[in-house]
Amino acid sequence: MSQALELSRGLDPTKLRPAFERFGRLHLPGIFRDKDAQAIHAALVAAPYHRSLTASGKSYDIALDTLAAMPAERRAELEAAILEGGKTGFQYQFDAWRLSDRMEAGERSGGALDGVYDLLNSPAFLSFVRTLTRDDRCAYVDAQATRYRPGDFLTAHDDDIAGKHRLYAYVLNFTPSWRPDWGGLLAFHDADGHVSEAYTPTFNALNIFRVPQQHAVTQVASFAGAQRLSITGWIRER
């Protein structure tokens, strides 16, 4: 991108803070200028994804061409293990591309996704988050691109892992059009096992929430008319 990304000038973290403090989460539409959001969407469509999943209690990142070449019997076994794990435990399957790893390795392309990573770790964004949350510990942000296709999901979890120093989770959504009945909702669970709130993956919107907080991404329906494209990660302390 020829110009550095900026947050929408209409966002005032001081005015948004009471809602965040009350609920521990917030949905912010119109986070970028529309032309920038369109460029990010195009970059996410073209990103070199791999398959990210858990099976039999283990996590795997598998190249898409490797997965496509897998014998049918082995592929069926893998799919059965994924579905079985989803019945009772933490389980996921979606496409991912670890933007933070690429940036930390110095593998820049000068494109829109580089710009997103730079913005997330800029003084402007970190100041926005610190003001919104009243939390001066916010030091840096990691990021990965994700693509959920029909059948993909992420079961309930709270993001709280010892040693990871996760303070807040975020999702930046870039699917131009999405219907709630297509699934792919960021769903928050209450102590009674109900969905207390759920966010549709609205184009050019930021979802941010406090860690720990029980949540899931509901399975994308077989009839979904688009792919759920996003950039997601955590805001961390050192």
Side-chain angles (χ1 to χ4, degrees):
M1 298 182 68
S2 59
Q3 186 175 358
L5 288 175
E6 298 177 353
L7 291 175
S8 172
R9 295 179 182 179
L11 296 173
D12 184 342
T14 303
K15 293 181 179 178
L16 296 168
R17 185 193 297 149
F20 185 84
E21 289 181 339
R22 180 180 178 186
F23 299 107
R25 55 182 177 261
L26 205 59
H27 169 82
L28 298 174
I31 194 72
F32 295 121
R33 294 171 296 190
D34 185 65
K35 66 174 184 176
D36 291 337
Q38 294 289 350
I40 296 166
H41 165 257
L44 288 172
V45 169
Y49 296 100
H50 60 263
R51 195 64 168 161
S52 186
L53 57 89
T54 52
S56 302
K58 296 182 180 180
S59 298
Y60 298 93
D61 287 343
I62 306 173
L64 295 180
D65 55 356
T66 298
L67 197 61
M70 186 177 292
E73 182 179 351
R74 175 68 182 118
R75 181 67 178 269
E77 291 174 355
L78 178 61
E79 292 175 351
I82 293 169
L83 296 177
E84 185 63 28
K87 294 178 181 179
T88 57
F90 177 60
Q91 190 77 27
Y92 60 83
Q93 64 170 17
F94 53 84
D95 296 336
W97 185 51
R98 304 194 188 284
L99 181 58
S100 290
D101 291 352
R102 175 175 165 271
M103 299 299 286
E104 290 168 8
E107 299 172 0
R108 287 181 166 269
S109 67
L113 300 186
D114 290 12
V116 174
Y117 180 86
D118 289 342
L119 174 66
L120 291 173
N121 285 282
S122 69
F125 183 77
L126 290 171
S127 176
F128 176 89
V129 172
R130 290 170 189 146
T131 302
L132 175 69
T133 62
R134 295 185 190 268
D135 192 341
D136 290 334
R137 296 175 299 165
C138 300
Y140 71 102
V141 183
D142 60 24
Q144 70 170 345
T146 66
R147 178 177 67 183
Y148 283 70
R149 295 179 285 173
D152 289 348
F153 63 89
L154 172 63
T155 62
H157 62 291
D158 66 8
D159 284 342
D160 191 15
I161 299 176
K164 293 292 187 180
H165 309 293
R166 296 170 177 172
L167 301 174
Y168 306 94
Y170 74 91
V171 184
L172 288 161
N173 291 296
F174 293 102
T175 302
S177 180
W178 194 269
R179 287 174 33 171
D181 54 354
W182 289 353
L185 307 180
L186 176 59
F188 296 94
H189 301 176
D190 63 24
D192 295 327
H194 297 292
V195 173
S196 55
E197 190 172 23
Y199 297 153
T200 299
T202 307
F203 180 70
N204 193 22
L206 168 67
N207 299 326
I208 182 170
F209 55 97
R210 187 180 296 121
V211 173
Q213 196 163 166
Q214 195 78 358
H215 64 285
V217 175
T218 63
Q219 188 172 46
V220 176
S222 59
F223 55 82
Q227 298 175 343
R228 182 187 185 273
L229 301 172
S230 66
I231 298 172
T232 184
W234 295 273
I235 299 158
R236 305 185 189 229
E237 64 177 328
R238 294 292 179 188

